Amino acid sequence: MERAFWFSGSGDGELRPVTLPPVGDGEVLVRTLCSGVSRGTETLVFRGEVPRSQRESMRAPFQEGDFPGPVKYGYLNVGVVEQGPAELVGQVVFCLYPHQTRYVVPASAVTPVPHGVPPERAILAGTIETAVNAVWDAAPKLGDRIAVVGAGMVGSSVAKLLSGFPATRVQLIDVDPERAKIAEALGVDFSAPEDALGDCDLVVHASASEAGLTRSLELLAPEGEVIELSWYGDRKISVPLGENFHSRRLAIRSSQVGMVSPARRATRGYGDRLALALRILSDPAFKVLVSEECRFHELPDVLPRLAANEPGTLCLRVTYQLEDTR
């Protein structure tokens, strides 16, 4: 008997038994090795805060149930193919699947993890995919002065990718001084908000806070642009559009992973973007984004701490062993 984690939608969750269907033609049976908790989105789901207007667009590819809950939700899963097409059997694969011990999906729904990318790091593929899309949306130029506000999983990943552009000045900004260690491990300059360098051509905002968005606008040079990556759920956020917002001709533009960036949509699909994210994860520096680990059976006890905004946690890695099916 397999098991899956279900969010109640009211601030708790539980492990439920699952009976798998037979493996059909063109399908694979995957045994989960580890999964990742996307802290920002999944804690909103955990607390039942998905806005009614966004419940359809927020559905995960293999979600069961409806918001606010009970719902089986998640999309950072790495496992090994136990049955299916011969070329996939034994392969370690990434899949946009919830937290579950084993599952059956179409073979087209899994992406092989490249050699050199360990399964425990490959759970970050969804995060890196979001960062890739943000960089495509941001379209940085040679020599740009860039700030990334919010040193969470996505913001830190974006800063790492942007730091690879020649002659750019990239600074990762966060209110938590402990995040300086994350920036150092990624090879990115770090600053507290009050000490951040201004006159930025581009600011990527990923702090999911009103104060962070305000500071992002303050850091812009005239005609600069904020790329807004934060998702606020059902919270109302005030945006300071008075004072010199218009006179400096500033801009705010959203970015999200649900669609491939228009800058690459003609030549790249979802599979291309995910495969690129997995290749990027060959860089061991990204392992710093996994800050905590728990066993699958511990997930109902650990998630409430994440939902309470426990400081310091980035990605929670959930590990699975054969006894988790009992």
Side-chain angles (χ1 to χ4, degrees), residues 44-45 48-58 67-68 231-236:
L44 284 172
V45 173
E49 294 177 355
V50 177
R52 185 177 298 274
S53 64
Q54 298 300 306
R55 289 177 182 175
E56 189 57 36
S57 62
M58 271 283 296
F67 298 121
W231 193 69
Y232 301 94
D234 57 2
R235 286 182 291 148
K236 304 296 183 184

Side-chain angles (χ1 to χ4, degrees), residues 173-179 190-194:
I173 299 164
D174 201 276
V175 296
D176 182 0
E178 289 297 310
R179 295 292 167 93
F190 179 84
S191 175
E194 61 272 17

Side-chain angles (χ1 to χ4, degrees), residues 148-152 154-155 173-175 204-216 227-232 235:
V148 180
V149 177
V154 173
I173 299 164
D174 201 276
V175 296
V204 179
H205 178 233
S207 80
S209 71
E210 188 173 302
L213 179 54
T214 298
R215 186 61 178 141
S216 296
I227 301 297
E228 176 59 276
L229 271 175
S230 301
W231 193 69
Y232 301 94
R235 286 182 291 148

Side-chain angles (χ1 to χ4, degrees), residues 170-210:
V170 179
Q171 195 167 52
L172 182 59
I173 299 164
D174 201 276
V175 296
D176 182 0
E178 289 297 310
R179 295 292 167 93
K181 299 174 184 177
I182 304 295
E184 182 180 7
L186 293 172
V188 180
D189 186 34
F190 179 84
S191 175
E194 61 272 17
D195 300 323
L197 299 173
D199 290 324
C200 293
D201 304 290
L202 177 67
V203 176
V204 179
H205 178 233
S207 80
S209 71
E210 188 173 302

